């Protein structure tokens, strides 16, 4: 379980940053994302920039022993996106965030 | 498994609508959501309007036998939010959508 906790932390850390000190960066990213929905050129650029996030998520699900890395990478990315939005919509504590991150992982890689 | 498929369809249907004929409605909802991040008054209104979605998700996770309805409702909602954004960012087929909705459910209620 030590490894699992460390892997969990690898995703929990950027989530903590983006919903804490990096909040403005997260809001800017979401605004860009909204524009990208309308502009294919921007969508392409965003897709390229997202490579790092894809790599992190793929590493995490592989590390957690996923037998369907493609599926679980997409699932984890959708979860992280949804979780970030949920955090912005409500005021939450660090403890609450940890409580939500853990089931997310357990769900992403059963 | 018949019940599970029907329950799955209860969430897959609005997702299909919002990423198909109701696309403009989804984009408008996401724009409102972005504004709500900045405006507490709008955030309160959005929170009230979200009641229906909470109820649907709670019904689904309960129906699927969740033993942690609160946790799993929040998880499913985050998943659906993330999935809707992922669908808007990429061009996808109905078949691709079904392939993503199924693991989402399996993950949400292990």
């Amino acid at each position: 379980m030590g490894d699992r906790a460390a892997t969990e932390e690898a995703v929990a850390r950027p989530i903590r940053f983006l919903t804490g000190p990096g909040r403005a960066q997260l809001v800017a990213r979401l605004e860009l994302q909204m524009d990208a929905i309308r502009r294919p050129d921007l969508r392409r650029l965003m897709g390229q920039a997202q490579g790092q996030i894809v790599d992190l998520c793929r590493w995490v699900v592989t590390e957690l022993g996923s037998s369907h890395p493609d599926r679980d990478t997409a699932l984890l990315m959708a979860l992280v996106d949804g979780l970030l939005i949920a955090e912005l919509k409500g005021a939450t504590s660090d403890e609450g965030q940890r409580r939500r991150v853990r089931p997310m992982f357990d769900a992403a890689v059963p």
Side-chain angles (χ1 to χ4, degrees), chain A residues 24-95:
Chain A
Q25 192 172 319
L26 172 60
V27 174
R29 187 178 155 267
L30 291 173
E31 293 285 7
L32 264 176
Q33 196 167 266
M34 290 307 298
D35 277 350
I37 288 170
R38 294 193 184 81
R39 295 177 43 195
D41 55 330
L42 185 55
R43 192 156 62 234
R44 257 192 311 276
L45 274 175
M46 292 281 286
Q48 287 163 13
Q50 209 176 16
Q52 267 191 303
I53 308 175
V54 177
D55 290 346
L56 172 65
C57 288
R58 183 174 297 274
W59 173 79
V60 166
V61 299
T62 307
E63 201 71 10
L64 294 181
S66 166
S67 49
H68 298 88
D70 281 347
R71 184 200 70 180
D72 290 337
T73 298
L75 186 62
L76 180 59
M77 289 181 63
L79 267 161
V80 169
D81 270 351
L83 201 77
L84 287 173
I85 291 170
E87 292 296 321
L88 283 183
K89 283 195 287 194
T92 54
S93 66
D94 256 23
E95 181 50 40

